[in-house]
Amino acid sequence: LVGHPLGVLALAFQPDSQRVATAGFDRQVKVWDVETGEHIMNLAGHREPVRAVSFSPDGKKLLSCSDDMAIRVWHPVSGKALMVLKGHDFQDGCLCDKNSGIKNMSCLVRGHRAGVRSLAFSPDGLVLASGSYDRTARIMDATKHSFDVMRRVAIDTEVVSVALGYMDPPKEAKKRDSEWAQSFLPRLF
């Protein structure tokens, strides 16, 4: 696939393996047809290099993160920007960006204070983790439209990569309630 003139930094396959998303130094996310190699669309909005992309396990969302401190949520078929998660730690918990031009945007989450470097969904799609140059990982509730931050973990170095998995698999593989997510999160850290 040829399309990022300044180099590719990340790629992710849609769960059904029909599409792949790539991200790069050119501040773009590009979506491709896996079978034909055809370029389907560009997703623009980041102001700095895009470091990671991740499809939700159900394939209904595509997320990208960047050195601009933002996590962007996209519709993977239409390319519509659904939300921007960006902000700093303020006591009131959020900032609102009315100049972004994105409709139906809710308050911004308490976000990273430096570029966001990595993203990962839990296998069931209930939880999203992000890692940053600010030496923190954020654990977010992916069942809510606002991706509320449930936990912030500070470490001694930049968070280069994050991953989520099951410590103890749920009894029902398709259980999708946030109570279960809350019960396994304390065991992650």
Side-chain angles (χ1 to χ4, degrees):
L1 306 175
V2 178
H4 290 282
L6 302 175
V8 174
L9 292 170
L11 68 86
F13 283 90
Q14 196 169 23
D16 64 8
S17 297
Q18 292 183 15
R19 293 178 179 208
V20 64
T22 59
F25 283 108
D26 60 359
R27 304 176 303 201
Q28 299 283 315
V29 174
K30 296 179 183 284
V31 180
W32 309 83
D33 181 282
V34 170
E35 189 174 321
T36 66
E38 177 186 347
H39 175 248
I40 297 171
M41 69 180 128
N42 285 340
L43 305 175
H46 286 292
R47 295 185 317 266
E48 297 290 335
V50 182
R51 296 288 175 175
V53 286
S54 181
F55 284 95
S56 59
D58 64 7
K60 294 181 180 178
K61 293 182 184 96
L62 171 60
L63 278 70
S64 58
C65 66
S66 167
D67 288 348
D68 65 7
M69 299 187 291
I71 298 171
R72 293 185 175 269
V73 183
W74 311 91
H75 188 279
V77 176
S78 71
K80 178 182 177 185
L82 302 175
M83 173 181 281
V84 179
L85 307 174
K86 182 178 178 178
H88 302 281
D89 287 324
F90 284 100
Q91 219 161 21
D92 68 1
C94 67
L95 300 168
C96 289
D97 180 4
K98 297 187 171 130
N99 298 322
S100 69
I102 299 172
K103 296 180 180 179
N104 301 323
M105 185 174 145
S106 61
C107 259
L108 301 171
V109 299
R110 295 183 336 185
H112 291 287
R113 295 173 294 175
V116 185
R117 190 151 182 181
S118 57
L119 294 168
F121 276 96
S122 61
D124 57 11
L126 297 175
V127 178
L128 174 72
S130 63
S132 171
Y133 291 109
D134 69 3
R135 300 179 178 193
T136 67
R138 309 286 167 138
I139 308 299
M140 294 169 259
D141 183 347
T143 65
K144 296 184 178 175
H145 179 69
S146 60
F147 286 86
D148 294 337
V149 174
M150 296 189 295
R151 179 168 283 190
R152 177 183 170 272
V153 180
I155 61 173
D156 291 336
T157 187
E158 297 169 352
V159 180
V160 176
S161 182
V162 292
L164 289 172
Y166 297 121
M167 301 243 347
D168 296 314
K171 291 180 182 177
E172 300 170 31
K174 295 192 178 201
K175 187 170 184 170
R176 297 213 174 248
D177 63 354
S178 60
E179 289 176 21
W180 184 84
Q182 292 288 344
S183 74
F184 86 82
L185 277 174
R187 294 181 293 194
L188 289 175
F189 301 99

